[in-house]
Amino acid sequence: MSRSRREKMGWTLGSLLLGWMFAWSPLSASAAGSTKYARSDSDKPFLHHIDLYDRNNRKITADSTEPYSVEKTCGRCHDLETIAHGWHFNAFASELERQRLKAEAGNEAESSEVAKQSGENPDSAKESIASDHAVEHDASLYDGRPGEPWIWTDARTGTQLPLSYRDWKGRFNPSEIGISTHEMTQQFGARIPGGGVAADWDAKAESELQDSEPTRWPITGTLEIDCMACHAKSGVYDFERRREIIEDQNFAWAPTAALRLGEVSGSVARLKTGTDLSDEKVQARLPKVEYDSRRFSLDGTVFFDLVRKPENGACYQCHSQRTVSDSGIDERWNHDQDVHLRAGMACVDCHRNGIDHQTVRGFEGEQHPAGAAVATLSCRGCHMGNANEADDHGGSLSLTEIAFRAGRLGSPYPNHEGLPPVHFEKLSCTACHSGPIPGDQAVGLMTSLSHGLGEKGHRTGAELPSIQGPVFAKAESNGLVTPHRAMWPAYWGKVVDGRVSPLPPEEVYAKTRRALRVRKDFIEEVSAEGKETFDEKVSAALEAIEKTMEVEQAVYVSTGVVFARGEQDGTLQEVTVANPEAVEMVRWPMAHNVRPAGWALGATGCLECHSDDGLVFTSTVAAKGPAPIEVEPVSMAAIQGLDEATRLEWNQLFGGRKMFKVLTATSLIVLLLALVGSCLPSMKSRMD
């Protein structure tokens, strides 16, 4: 072999080896869990001087008029596809995806029936299908423990309608009622950070859901996930300006306005559905952004003042609450803050998440959708540890073992001296430590999601929806007695085959406006005028619905009662329905505020609960709604399914407990003296 030939062969082998090394390197990195997105891996937040891009992926300058796109801007460095699966972003999860899953479930049932007819074992077939289905199930559609519903409220029609795209008892699916995803975004968009159908709209999906009717999405734009709603440093993000922009239906302009990057002028709400966006006159009427040139550096970048761990103020925008007494909204100075906040903790210390943004909710028995171990981020796990969880994970690593010990974040171990263990089998931690201190009856509650707390206004505490708490009921997730918030739905609906279902609220208002003759408030202008006026106007409204909406029997649901037109004009009658869950109390667990040990139920002794007037059992709650009727209150014991006679008999054991202790101690002393007395003669004789 010649020298030149050997040199060529050497170069060839070297090239192959070098190519193999380059080809192998990404594979090794991939196997190690690397990602195409760079990371700082430092506790110090990365300094964000970044370029802005609009929804067409064009770089924004101070002279631009288009709003910046979070997806095109933040998505350049951050894995938005993974982030979008988070709990906060799938509240408005894609209905098409749910319909697909339902269709698959129907096909599975059909396959099971075919297997049964063919002689195969249907149970094994179901297990196989269920296993495959579980693998394919999107974590973004994880429903989890029932939470606060989206309550569609309309004071003009006396409506407080609990809605949810999640499969939770007592909630109505908006798409099944006829409420479009666009209407949901406009109604509640100020209380979501974007995402879901609010950000992922596409023409084909909308046409399938809305029977090809014109949609407003093309002119309003989508409400993208806004990272800065949570990650902006306190005082930087203007939530109220964002709300105003969303009310104007300027969805795509909301992130720009909220960061005060510029002034947004114009309102999409003034444009008609189906407007031709290619028309130059229409384009001139679309909202425009006048950017603040001072926000742009010499290199054209904009500084984003952000934090890695969201601050409490961002959480309070959607998770504040106030109590309402007979005198109105209770003043803040009457209350101590949550004991954890007083200790210097932040919301995200317990409610953690990874890059997938699957936020830990922290309730007992929580199953994290991403499969993470979160037991010690619950009350019991944090304070008392979870040795079983460590055993399940092998316990081979010291860090793993430590992570499941008691005392995370320095939490004290609760001794609960003298408290029988049966309490931990029957009660959640929050039953004794969380929520308003119970009284003879549940108090009124206002929340950010339902009452728009944070927006400046003149509230009295009587505004719809009517929410009450604490209601001590057994949690659906684990059967433990837990404090809940509760409300009763009020809506206009129809009865078909004995089952009641709501009608679209906006369409109801349009059809009943003349019959009800309500300017602002149904309660003040109808219910407060007395039962006779209520019957007359509601009956007329029901008649209008039946005539204009082609409904055979229209009804009005309120305070746990279904009202239908009576036999005589201007009268109403109460009817029963085959699905009472559409009429009865809707409740969800309450976790905050957490009271200190000295304010916990039972801190003063057993008789605080185990007496004939123990509030955890005798406190009452009554259905409350726009209808001017009084409903018999129900006790917490009845809600928990306890027999009253048995409870009273059990209390008698505690009523004489102190006397029993005194008698026992006295008896022991007398017995001891008797024993000593009997021993004295023998001892004396021995001494003699």
Side-chain angles (χ1 to χ4, degrees):
M1 184 180 295
S2 67
R3 181 177 178 181
S4 61
R5 198 175 188 84
R6 287 197 302 271
E7 288 179 353
K8 288 182 180 180
M9 183 174 292
W11 277 108
T12 303
L13 291 174
S15 300
L16 289 173
L17 179 61
L18 189 62
W20 176 82
M21 290 174 64
F22 276 107
W24 174 252
S25 180
L27 291 175
S28 302
S30 177
S34 72
T35 172
K36 66 178 182 179
Y37 298 96
R39 301 164 47 137
S40 72
D41 292 316
S42 170
D43 291 335
K44 179 191 73 65
F46 189 82
L47 197 61
H48 283 69
H49 284 279
I50 58 178
D51 292 316
L52 300 182
Y53 292 86
D54 64 18
R55 49 190 165 181
N56 295 315
N57 208 25
R58 295 174 300 199
K59 184 177 177 179
I60 290 176
T61 67
D63 297 325
S64 300
T65 58
E66 285 291 310
Y68 98 93
S69 165
V70 180
E71 179 183 347
K72 302 300 182 184
T73 301
C74 301
R76 281 177 140 71
C77 300
H78 297 280
D79 188 0
L80 290 187
E81 184 177 351
T82 299
I83 293 170
H85 289 83
W87 179 262
H88 286 92
F89 312 128
N90 60 45
F92 286 9
S94 170
E95 273 300 281
L96 283 180
E97 177 65 11
R98 289 188 180 274
Q99 294 295 339
R100 183 184 69 79
L101 293 174
K102 287 182 179 180
E104 287 181 0
N107 294 335
E108 291 168 7
E110 184 178 349
S111 299
S112 178
E113 183 63 27
V114 170
K116 184 177 180 181
Q117 294 177 359
S118 63
E120 298 180 15
N121 185 346
D123 293 333
S124 61
K126 286 181 180 179
E127 290 176 2
S128 175
I129 294 172
S131 176
D132 294 340
H133 186 67
V135 172
E136 295 177 1
H137 188 79
D138 190 343
S140 67
L141 301 181
Y142 171 76
D143 290 328
R145 185 179 73 164
E148 182 174 356
W150 300 103
I151 306 178
W152 186 292
T153 305
D154 190 343
R156 303 167 301 180
T157 57
T159 298
Q160 50 183 33
L161 180 61
L163 304 171
S164 180
Y165 287 116
R166 307 185 194 277
D167 189 15
W168 289 343
K169 181 181 178 182
R171 285 77 164 168
F172 300 97
N173 188 307
S175 64
E176 295 178 358
I177 296 174
I179 301 176
S180 70
T181 54
H182 192 278
E183 289 176 309
M184 287 291 290
T185 304
Q186 183 180 348
Q187 186 84 353
F188 303 109
R191 300 294 169 178
I192 62 172
V197 292
D200 298 329
W201 172 83
D202 71 292
K204 182 179 179 181
E206 187 70 18
S207 65
E208 292 181 17
L209 287 174
Q210 305 299 329
D211 298 325
S212 300
E213 294 181 2
T215 177
R216 296 188 62 77
W217 286 114
I219 55 176
T220 63
T222 56
L223 194 63
E224 297 178 349
I225 293 175
D226 194 349
C227 307
M228 295 299 284
C230 295
H231 290 284
K233 194 170 182 61
S234 182
V236 171
Y237 196 88
D238 192 339
F239 286 100
E240 295 315 303
R241 182 57 180 151
R242 180 176 188 265
R243 175 187 55 78
E244 295 169 357
I245 290 293
I246 292 174
E247 287 180 353
D248 286 337
Q249 299 186 30
N250 301 344
F251 296 166
W253 290 262
T256 303
L259 275 183
R260 293 285 184 174
L261 295 173
E263 186 61 32
V264 176
S265 60
S267 173
V268 169
R270 298 176 181 177
L271 299 177
K272 295 182 179 180
T273 302
T275 298
D276 183 9
L277 292 177
S278 62
D279 190 333
E280 293 183 359
K281 293 182 179 180
V282 173
Q283 291 180 4
R285 295 175 60 191
L286 288 174
K288 298 291 188 296
V289 181
E290 183 179 349
Y291 281 98
D292 183 354
S293 60
R294 295 171 299 178
R295 301 296 297 272
F296 291 82
S297 301
L298 293 177
D299 61 356
T301 61
V302 174
F303 173 57
F304 275 48
D305 194 1
L306 53 78
V307 292
R308 178 180 286 111
K309 293 174 59 176
E311 299 177 347
N312 289 349
C315 304
Y316 292 152
Q317 172 65 16
C318 298
H319 298 288
S320 293
Q321 63 179 23
R322 298 294 297 277
T323 55
V324 181
S325 60
D326 294 336
S327 57
I329 303 173
D330 291 340
E331 295 292 340
R332 279 190 288 264
W333 63 268
N334 282 332
H335 300 275
D336 288 347
Q337 290 179 315
D338 186 291
V339 67
H340 294 112
L341 299 178
R342 297 296 296 170
M345 292 176 61
C347 301
V348 295
D349 285 335
C350 296
H351 301 289
R352 306 180 182 189
N353 61 266
I355 187 62
D356 60 2
H357 283 62
Q358 294 287 0
T359 304
V360 175
R361 300 177 68 192
F363 60 85
E364 196 75 21
E366 178 178 8
Q367 298 296 317
H368 196 263
V374 297
T376 51
L377 291 176
S378 66
C379 303
R380 193 186 307 245
C382 184
H383 285 271
M384 305 182 72
N386 191 2
N388 292 333
E389 189 77 15
D391 293 341
D392 292 342
H393 288 75
S396 58
L397 299 176
S398 59
L399 180 61
T400 303
E401 294 173 348
I402 292 173
F404 295 108
R405 292 179 185 172
R408 294 196 77 161
L409 300 171
S411 61
Y413 188 89
N415 292 319
H416 291 109
E417 294 180 357
L419 189 67
V422 68
H423 287 79
F424 303 109
E425 300 173 4
K426 301 290 186 180
L427 303 171
S428 66
C429 300
T430 52
C432 300
H433 290 278
S434 297
I437 298 176
D440 293 333
Q441 58 187 15
V443 299
L445 295 169
M446 304 184 76
T447 71
S448 291
L449 291 182
S450 299
H451 298 92
L453 304 185
E455 174 189 353
K456 288 191 297 183
H458 299 282
R459 302 179 182 84
T460 64
E463 291 84 3
L464 296 178
S466 300
I467 301 175
Q468 302 177 74
V471 173
F472 292 94
K474 293 182 179 179
E476 296 181 9
S477 59
N478 53 27
L480 300 179
V481 174
T482 303
H484 289 72
R485 297 188 182 105
M487 56 88 68
W488 275 260
Y491 57 87
W492 302 80
K494 60 181 179 180
V495 176
V496 178
D497 296 330
R499 299 177 63 85
V500 63
S501 60
L503 292 168
E506 288 298 305
E507 188 175 353
V508 165
Y509 170 70
K511 303 300 184 184
T512 62
R513 185 172 53 181
R514 292 186 178 181
L516 286 176
R517 300 189 300 277
V518 172
R519 293 180 63 251
K520 292 183 178 180
D521 196 301
F522 179 89
I523 295 178
E524 291 184 3
E525 301 173 43
V526 177
S527 299
E529 296 297 319
K531 188 68 166 59
E532 185 176 344
T533 301
F534 173 81
D535 288 0
E536 177 185 347
K537 288 194 172 184
V538 170
S539 178
L542 293 175
E543 184 177 5
I545 290 174
E546 291 173 351
K547 287 182 178 179
T548 60
M549 299 180 69
E550 299 181 356
V551 173
E552 184 174 346
Q553 183 179 25
V555 294
Y556 177 60
V557 175
S558 177
T559 58
V561 178
V562 182
F563 298 96
R565 287 202 300 138
E567 296 181 358
Q568 299 180 354
D569 291 341
T571 63
L572 295 175
Q573 61 177 340
E574 297 181 9
V575 298
T576 58
V577 293
N579 55 332
E581 66 276 3
V583 179
E584 297 173 344
M585 172 176 34
V586 177
R587 60 178 185 252
W588 58 98
M590 175 191 301
H592 299 284
N593 287 333
V594 178
R595 305 191 301 273
W599 285 12
L601 292 182
T604 61
C606 302
L607 293 181
E608 188 172 348
C609 296
H610 295 293
S611 61
D612 291 352
D613 57 354
L615 294 176
V616 72
F617 300 115
T618 62
S619 180
T620 62
V621 62
K624 190 175 181 181
I629 60 174
E630 293 186 3
V631 180
E632 188 70 22
V634 58
S635 70
M636 302 299 163
I639 293 175
Q640 296 165 26
L642 298 177
D643 178 66
E644 185 66 10
T646 304
R647 187 183 73 85
L648 294 176
E649 290 177 2
W650 178 255
N651 288 341
Q652 292 177 2
L653 298 176
F654 291 87
R657 193 173 183 180
K658 288 186 177 179
M659 183 59 68
F660 177 75
K661 290 180 179 179
V662 172
L663 290 175
T664 302
T666 304
S667 300
L668 290 174
I669 292 172
V670 171
L671 179 61
L672 180 61
L673 291 174
L675 290 173
V676 172
S678 63
C679 293
L680 283 177
S682 61
M683 292 174 64
K684 185 177 181 181
S685 62
R686 289 182 181 179
M687 290 177 64
D688 293 341

